[in-house]
Amino acid sequence: MRSALALIFSASILASSSAFAETRVFIIANQADGQCLAKGETCGASVARTYCQSRDFAQASSYRRVDPDEITGSVPKTGANCSHGRCDEYVAITCQR
């Protein structure tokens, strides 16, 4: 009985320690040189990791292209204010501490 309680207690500690890991998703405009990020290719891993580290996160757990409809709030559409002609393309980078 005690070993079962010890096992349950140990499992709850492990589960709670991972719950304290901070995760944050950053939405950025896709740049012309960011096609590796938008396509989810492995060449985008270093770009995503560098982006996360520049914001004091340890690693990037994922990165992908997102549609403007997935983003809550106002995002610019392709138009006069678009400097690189692809303002409707965004990338989500998930960073973890």
Side-chain angles (χ1 to χ4, degrees):
M1 180 70 170
R2 286 186 180 183
S3 61
L5 288 175
L7 181 62
I8 292 171
F9 181 72
S10 298
S12 66
I13 288 175
L14 288 174
S16 66
S17 65
S18 64
F20 290 117
E22 184 180 355
T23 300
R24 187 164 178 192
V25 178
F26 295 92
I27 307 293
I28 60 171
N30 189 30
Q31 303 296 318
D33 60 348
Q35 290 304 308
C36 287
L37 286 172
K39 293 179 182 177
E41 296 175 356
T42 55
C43 56
S46 63
V47 176
R49 182 181 60 250
T50 301
Y51 184 87
C52 291
Q53 289 174 345
S54 72
R55 279 146 184 81
D56 297 326
F57 285 84
Q59 65 183 4
S61 61
S62 68
Y63 51 94
R64 67 178 181 89
R65 182 184 177 280
V66 292
D67 291 322
D69 295 337
E70 293 181 69
I71 304 169
T72 304
S74 177
V75 294
K77 300 290 182 188
T78 302
N81 295 330
C82 186
S83 62
H84 52 75
R86 301 174 85 147
C87 290
D88 57 345
E89 290 187 10
Y90 294 89
V91 175
I93 300 175
T94 304
C95 300
Q96 291 183 327
R97 290 202 197 271

